[in-house]
Amino acid sequence: MHSFHYHDGQLRCEGVDLAALAAEHGTPLYVYSAQTIRDHFRRLDAALAGVDHLICYAVKANSNLAVLDLLTRERAGFDIVSAGELFRVLKAGGKPECCTFAGVGKTRPEIEYALRQGILSFNVESEAELEMINAVASDLNRRAPVALRVNPDVAAGGHKYISTGKSENKFGVGLDRAFEVYRAASQMTHIRVRGLQMHIGSQITEAGPFAQAVEKVAPVAAELKREYGIEFFSVGGGLGIVYKSSLQSGQETWWDQAAGDPAPSLTVEQYAEAIVPTLAPLGLRILLEPGRFMVGNAGVLLTTVQYLKSSDSGKKFVIVDAGMNDLIRPALYQGYHEVVPVREPSPTDRREAADVVGPVCESGDFFAQARELPPLRQGELVALMSAGAYGFTMASNYNSRPLAAEVMVQGDQAQVVRERQALGDLIHGEKTLAS
Ligand SMILES: *Cc1c(COP(=O)(O)O)cnc(C)c1O
C-alpha cells in the first residue's frame, strides 16, 4: 500500500501531492492518510483473531471527527479520557456502549454525562474514584459499569513521562490490592463490576514488557472471573511505531523499511504472538486501547521554511512556520520526527547539520537539533513525519497562533477535516472589562 512516498520528485500522501495541498490550504498543515489508519486497524484486528476482542482506539492520540468517523466505520470502540472526548465520539457516530472511560481525575459532571450516555465501562484508578462513581450512579438511580485499573509494576516505554506501569506512577492500584478493591466494589449498590484493565506505557517497541505484564495479570483476571464474573480484560495500548526511518525514492511506505532504525518497531503480529497465548485460555473478552499505533505514521505536519540563519559560532538554523504550539512532542519529551523536504533531494546533495526551529518565543521550540539535512531554501516545504498521534491533539494557541488546518486524504481525494483558525477564533468568548 502507498501512504507517504516520492513520486516524480514530489512527496505525496496516497495519490495526492503535498505541495498542492500546501498551496491550497497554507502551512502549517496536518495531512492524514485514511488508508494508513484503516490498514493499521485491520492488521491489528486480524492479528488478534485468536481471541474475542474489541479495539478501543485511544481518542487522545488524534480526536479529529474524521478519524473517529473512519474508525467507527471499522467498528472500533473508543477509549476516552474526558467528557469532551465522549462528546466527539458520539458526534462522529460512535456508540457509547463501545466506550471505556480512563483517567485518574474524572469529575462528577463527567461521570454523570458518561453514565447518562451508557458507556461500556469506567476504568477506575482509585478507591476514592470508585466511591464517587457509586455516589453519582446512586443519584441517577443507575448502576455504573466499572473495571479496575491495576498497575502490574513492569518497566516499559521510552521517556519517563510516557511510562505508566511502574508502581511509582500515579496510575492504577497495585496488583496486590486488586482483590480488596473488587470486594469493596462488589458490595457497592450502584456499581457493577465488569472488567479488569491495565496500561503499561507508550511507544513500547519490544514484546517483552507486554508479555510480562499480561502474564502477571492474567491469573488475577482468571480469579476475578470466577469470583465476580468479570467479562473483559483490557490490556491497554502502548504499541510503538517507527519514528526514525529514511524515506527513499520508490519506497512504498514510510515505516516498512526502518533501515538504520536503532529501535525497529514491534509488528502487530509479534505483539499478538506475545500476548494471545496467555489471553486466549481466560475466555474473557479482550480489549485493546491503541492510540499512537493507529494514527502516528498516518500523519505529517507540513511546514514552510521561513528563514535560514547562522549563529556566530557557525551553527545553522532552519526557521519554519510551524511551532511547538502545533507539535509539542520534541519540546515535551524529546520526541523525534524525521524532517523530509517535499521536493525530493538529489542523492548527491551534501548534507549539513542544522537545528529546525519554530517561531515561538521559547528555546524549547525546536523540531530537530543538529540534524543532518539536505540543503533547504527559504520558501521550501518540509514534512515533519509521523505526526499523526499526539500532534494536533496537543496543539495550543500559545503566542496567539491560530490552530493549523487538518486534511484527510483518501486515494486521490483530499478533504479539509478541520479549518484553519482565523484571528477572530483566538478571542472567541473573551471580553474586555465591563467598567
Ligand atoms: C494514552 C493511553 C492509551 C494509548 O496509548 P498509546 O501509546 O497511544 O497506544 C491507552 N490506554 C490508556 C489508559 C492511556 O492513558
Side-chain angles (χ1 to χ4, degrees):
M1 65 153 277
H2 292 260
S3 51
F4 296 94
H5 60 281
Y6 285 118
H7 181 87
D8 288 341
Q10 289 290 329
L11 191 59
R12 284 189 172 190
C13 173
E14 299 188 23
V16 173
D17 231 29
L18 291 179
L21 287 180
E24 189 175 348
H25 306 292
T27 56
L29 182 71
Y30 275 98
V31 181
Y32 308 123
S33 156
Q35 196 184 1
T36 305
I37 302 173
R38 230 175 257 132
D39 177 62
H40 281 197
F41 180 88
R42 290 177 187 177
R43 270 178 53 198
L44 184 58
D45 202 36
L48 271 291
V51 282
D52 175 22
H53 66 274
L54 176 66
I55 299 175
C56 294
Y57 166 64
V59 174
K60 71 179 191 278
N62 187 323
S63 60
N64 185 284
L65 288 183
V67 172
L68 303 179
D69 178 11
L70 187 159
L71 286 168
T72 297
R73 293 175 200 224
E74 295 292 314
R75 299 172 197 279
F78 297 94
D79 185 55
I80 56 161
V81 293
S82 69
E85 286 190 351
L86 179 54
F87 175 75
R88 282 179 171 278
V89 168
L90 300 177
K91 282 288 174 199
K95 295 198 186 75
E97 64 268 25
C98 296
C99 288
T100 53
F101 194 162
V104 296
K106 302 172 193 77
T107 64
R108 175 177 265 272
E110 285 182 315
I111 295 166
E112 275 180 23
Y113 177 60
L115 265 175
R116 287 212 164 90
Q117 297 303 323
I119 62 166
L120 169 61
S121 168
F122 290 92
N123 292 342
V124 173
E125 304 234 10
S126 67
E127 283 140 301
E129 183 194 332
L130 190 59
E131 279 161 26
M132 172 67 97
I133 293 173
N134 187 46
V136 177
S138 167
D139 291 349
L140 297 189
N141 201 19
R142 293 184 189 234
R143 265 185 106 170
V146 303
L148 182 70
R149 176 169 179 176
V150 292
N151 190 328
D153 197 18
V154 166
H159 195 272
K160 64 177 192 289
Y161 289 2
I162 56 176
S163 160
T164 58
K166 287 289 288 170
S167 56
E168 69 259 29
N169 295 124
K170 69 177 175 182
F171 300 101
V173 306
L175 212 45
D176 49 331
R177 301 228 355 269
F179 290 103
E180 196 185 319
V181 180
Y182 274 94
R183 201 169 308 119
S186 69
Q187 284 158 8
M188 292 182 183
T189 51
H190 291 81
I191 293 289
R192 181 171 152 220
V193 174
R194 284 198 79 171
L196 174 69
Q197 197 267 350
M198 68 174 191
H199 170 71
I200 57 174
S202 203
Q203 186 52 17
I204 300 166
T205 51
E206 46 188 11
F210 290 116
Q212 270 171 39
V214 165
E215 280 158 26
K216 249 175 127 168
V217 178
V220 175
E223 184 71 31
L224 290 170
K225 186 185 173 198
R226 272 193 299 277
E227 276 193 48
Y228 301 106
I230 65 164
E231 302 147 49
F232 71 82
F233 175 20
S234 172
V235 297
L239 198 49
I241 64 166
V242 171
Y243 279 105
K244 290 187 189 178
S245 179
S246 50
L247 187 66
Q248 270 133 33
S249 196
Q251 188 174 315
E252 295 242 318
T253 66
W254 168 245
W255 59 88
D256 278 355
Q257 298 175 19
D261 190 337
S265 194
L266 178 66
T267 67
V268 280
E269 292 76 20
Q270 290 163 340
Y271 170 72
E273 249 167 61
I275 59 171
V276 169
T278 314
L279 295 174
L282 293 174
L284 288 166
R285 186 172 206 209
I286 301 304
L287 268 51
L288 300 102
E289 305 162 356
R292 188 188 314 270
F293 169 77
M294 218 63 88
V295 291
N297 288 135
V300 300
L301 176 57
L302 284 183
T303 181
T304 305
V305 175
Q306 292 297 302
Y307 302 106
L308 301 171
K309 175 176 172 175
S310 297
S311 74
D312 295 341
S313 61
K315 196 167 166 180
K316 303 244 182 308
F317 292 98
V318 177
I319 303 166
V320 297
D321 68 354
M324 64 187 285
N325 71 296
D326 299 301
L327 176 62
I328 203 175
R329 294 189 64 261
L332 187 62
Y333 30 59
Q334 290 145 8
Y336 184 97
H337 293 276
E338 291 290 356
V339 178
V340 171
V342 168
R343 193 178 49 100
E344 187 171 14
S346 143
T348 57
D349 282 345
R350 211 168 59 96
R351 290 177 171 251
E352 241 184 351
D355 284 15
V356 180
V357 303
V360 172
C361 305
E362 298 279 346
S363 295
D365 183 29
F366 61 84
F367 296 112
Q369 290 177 308
R371 188 75 61 83
E372 294 287 329
L373 295 171
L376 293 171
R377 282 183 296 216
Q378 195 168 353
E380 185 162 351
L381 277 175
V382 296
L384 302 172
M385 304 303 289
S386 303
Y390 307 105
F392 189 91
T393 48
M394 284 189 163
S396 78
N397 286 125
Y398 187 43
N399 276 207
S400 285
R401 290 166 48 80
L403 293 175
E406 295 173 283
V407 166
M408 177 81 79
V409 169
Q410 300 201 69
D412 56 6
Q413 302 292 316
Q415 187 197 330
V416 175
V417 293
R418 184 179 166 119
E419 288 170 14
R420 183 177 304 284
Q421 277 189 332
L423 291 179
D425 296 326
L426 292 175
I427 53 167
H428 177 76
E430 283 184 48
K431 304 262 188 304
T432 52
L433 292 175
S435 62

